[in-house]
Structures are given as C-alpha cells and as structure tokens.
Amino acid sequence: MTDRVARERNAGQHGERAVRPRAWAAPVRAMSRILNADGSPRTPQPARSGRSGIVDCGLYVDGERRPGRPQYAEALADARRERDGFVWLGLHEPDLTEMTEIAATFGLHELAVEDAVKAEQRPKLEHFGEIAFLVLRTARYCEHAELTENSEVVETGQVMLFIGPNFVISVRHGDACRLSPVRADLEAKRDLLRHGPWAVAYAITDRVVDLYLEVADRLEDDLDVLEADVFDRQSSGRIQRIYQMKRELVEFKRAVAPLQRPLLTLTSQANRAVPQEVRRYFRDVQDHLSRTVEQVNSYDDLLNSILQARLAQVTVDQNNDMRKIAAWAAIGAVWTAIAGIYGMNFDNMPELKWTYGYPGIWAVNLTLSFVLYRWFRRNGWL
C-alpha cells in the first residue's frame, strides 16, 4: 500500500476529507495568496464572535433527506458514493475564513467565493467548469402605516447559489428571503428532489420571484394612495414622498430586471447542465418574472406621470397665487391713484373746497373697489 492511499484511508476513518489533487487546487492557492500578499503562511482568522454561517446541511439520496445533520465534508463524500445523492449546504452571511474552507472542500472558484462574501453583485449566471454560480437579489415589502419621505418600502438582500454535480450551496445575505421554508416545502416533493441540485436552484428562484410578485402587488396599493393624495385638493401632496417612492421603486427594479437574462439562459434548450424537466419549471418562473418586470415598468411610468402631475399642480398653484396678488394689487391701486392725485397740493384743484369732498372720495374708492372685486371673482382671480 502506498503512502498516499494510506493517508486517504486514514483520513476517511477519522471523518476527514481525503486530500487528492484536483483541478481547483490552483484557485485555492490563489485565494491564499490574496489573504497574505507578502507570501507568508496564512493565519486562520476566527469567525465573527465565534458564529458559524452554516444554517443547515442535508444529504439527499433519491429525493429523500437522510436523517441527521452531517458535517459538510462527510456529506459530500457520501453523496459522491451514491448514485443520486447530493448535498444542500445552507449558509447565512459567512465570513471569508469559513467560506474559504468550504471552497477548498467543494472546489469553488476564488472569484465566485469573493462575490459570495461581499454580496454586492447584480443577478447573473456564471460557469466555472462543472460548477454554476447563480446570483439572485431578494426583495421584501416593508410594512408602514403611512408613506413619508423617509419610509423604507422595499428591503433587498442577496442569495448566491453554487450548483455542482453533487451539491448545491446557498449563501443568503439579509432577511428579505428566508430559505428554511423553501427547504421544508421541497423536502415534501420527493419527485422534484430526484432531479438533484438544480431542483433546489429552481425552488429558491421560484420563492424569490414569488416575493417579487408580492412586493409588486403591495407597491400598487401604495401608488394608488399616492395618486389619490396628489389629486386631492385638500391634501398637501408633498413632492418628497413621490421622490422617496421612486427611489424605492428603482431599488426594486434593480433586483428584478437583471434576472431576466440568467433565467433565459437556464431555460434555453442549449443548456444541457439543467435537466429538461427542471427547465420546464424554470420557464414557469420566467413567466412570473416577465409579469413582474411589466408591472415594475408600468409603475415607473405611472410614478413619472404622478410626479409630472404634481409639478404641474405646483405651477398652477403658483400662478393662482400670483393672480390673487395681482387682483388685490389692482384694487389697492385705485386708492393709491386717487390719493396720489389729491396729494399733489395744487391750488386750483376741483373738489378741494367742496363740503362733501371727503365722503365723496370714500364713496368713489369703495365703489370702484367693490366693482373690481366682483369682476375678479367672476373671472376666477379671487
């Protein structure tokens, strides 16, 4: 027996993963160089406050989960020995140290690992050999009693999926979409789980898109309220609320729209990595996403119309105010004109010696003012 075989057998007996040369060895070494640019040996960093990012780890064989929660390296070794076995490893905001160890076990590419830790990616689908890397942006509607200029309407997060021949790794950031209900629902569908890791990818994607639909329906209610307030003459209709709603809608649109291309790739007949039956499920998800994109685009147009209407109302209100000011100024000009004429102090001016001159001037001023007031009121200036 060679030393290499002995080491592998000894590692298997102690529940450790046997070290074999793999195609992913170079990316892992590159990851180590990133951690220590000076070439010195990498010192392992502890997880944040002793917290592990692993939420759940399950071994599935022939569409059914094996009892227990095994260590992911052992579960992967068992899945490779089974004909229809795979591992679903669920992570929540793992740190770089833990993610690097997982990458070494599953053979993940360093670039995808870096994206999974930073969680600042737009929806996309990339392939690293036999491993697919799918990025989804999650969204959740935030309840609020009243829409204000500071209201948070849509909360977003991210879910990254590593889909390999014998495993699927879900990395969740934020609480916009929890995956434990997805796992529970999927474990009750053994026929779907038999399709392997891509069935898990479908279930998660379907849950994310369903949340898009829920958010879109709730946004429609907010837009109806906003539109009613804008056209209600008794409401102030603060324009800041419209801008806040537009910012939230843009954030939601950034999560929804870019996902169309990855789903188009997954449903393509040329994509042989996804089982044909699962591609049918993905097409259903694509239909729901298309509906959501259409809703978001229509909401964006409607919100632009509401904003333009409110700006037009502001302009009309300003014009009405200017007309009122001009009307009162015209009424006041009558008094100013008459007072200016009789304030010139000429000796030979009519009515200066008239006994009823003072009450007469009052009568003329009041009569002209009343006539002008009625005329402005009839023409809508007052």
Side-chain angles (χ1 to χ4, degrees), residues 186-207:
L186 191 58
E187 289 176 356
K189 302 175 181 178
R190 184 174 178 180
D191 292 339
L192 181 58
L193 264 179
R194 283 196 178 102
H195 294 289
W198 281 106
V200 177
Y202 152 73
I204 294 176
T205 306
D206 183 57
R207 174 58 179 164

Side-chain angles (χ1 to χ4, degrees), residues 195 198 266-269 271-283:
H195 294 289
W198 281 106
L266 291 175
T267 56
S268 173
Q269 294 294 335
N271 190 345
R272 299 301 180 184
V274 183
Q276 182 177 358
E277 185 65 23
V278 179
R279 283 204 300 269
R280 294 192 181 99
Y281 285 98
F282 272 118
R283 277 194 288 272

Side-chain angles (χ1 to χ4, degrees), residues 28-216:
V28 174
R29 289 195 297 269
M31 176 71 70
S32 299
R33 288 196 297 270
I34 293 175
L35 295 177
N36 294 287
D38 59 354
S40 60
R42 180 172 62 88
T43 302
Q45 298 178 2
R48 291 172 295 178
S49 303
R51 168 192 172 275
S52 174
I54 298 177
V55 178
D56 196 0
C57 179
L59 172 62
Y60 299 85
V61 179
D62 193 26
E64 187 175 0
R65 179 169 181 168
R66 290 285 178 84
R69 179 177 165 179
Q71 201 270 343
Y72 59 83
E74 296 176 357
L76 180 61
D78 293 339
R80 286 171 175 168
R81 285 194 295 266
E82 299 288 346
R83 180 180 177 182
D84 296 321
F86 71 93
V87 179
W88 181 358
L89 177 62
L91 305 174
H92 179 229
E93 299 180 357
D95 58 19
L96 184 58
T97 301
E98 186 174 30
M99 197 66 202
T100 303
E101 296 173 356
I102 294 173
T105 302
F106 289 89
L108 309 180
H109 197 279
E110 59 173 315
L111 296 179
V113 171
E114 183 180 358
D115 291 345
V117 173
K118 289 184 177 180
E120 297 174 354
Q121 304 301 312
R122 58 180 285 145
K124 63 180 180 179
L125 175 64
E126 295 181 340
H127 290 274
F128 300 93
E130 294 183 338
I131 301 176
F133 180 55
L134 177 62
V135 178
L136 308 170
R137 291 198 66 182
T138 57
R140 180 178 65 178
Y141 181 82
C142 299
E143 297 289 344
H144 49 271
E146 181 182 2
L147 181 64
T148 65
E149 54 267 26
N150 298 318
S151 296
E152 183 181 7
V153 181
V154 179
E155 177 188 356
T156 58
Q158 284 199 329
V159 170
M160 287 90 161
L161 300 177
F162 295 90
I163 305 107
N166 303 103
F167 65 87
V168 56
I169 302 174
S170 58
V171 183
R172 178 171 62 91
H173 290 265
D175 295 324
C177 177
R178 296 183 178 273
L179 300 183
S180 54
V182 178
R183 187 187 290 264
D185 292 341
L186 191 58
E187 289 176 356
K189 302 175 181 178
R190 184 174 178 180
D191 292 339
L192 181 58
L193 264 179
R194 283 196 178 102
H195 294 289
W198 281 106
V200 177
Y202 152 73
I204 294 176
T205 306
D206 183 57
R207 174 58 179 164
V208 170
V209 175
D210 285 345
L211 286 177
Y212 289 167
L213 291 172
E214 293 179 11
V215 173

Side-chain angles (χ1 to χ4, degrees), residues 298-309:
S298 65
Y299 295 164
D300 194 22
D301 294 338
L302 177 60
L303 200 55
N304 287 333
S305 300
I306 293 175
L307 179 60
Q308 294 299 324

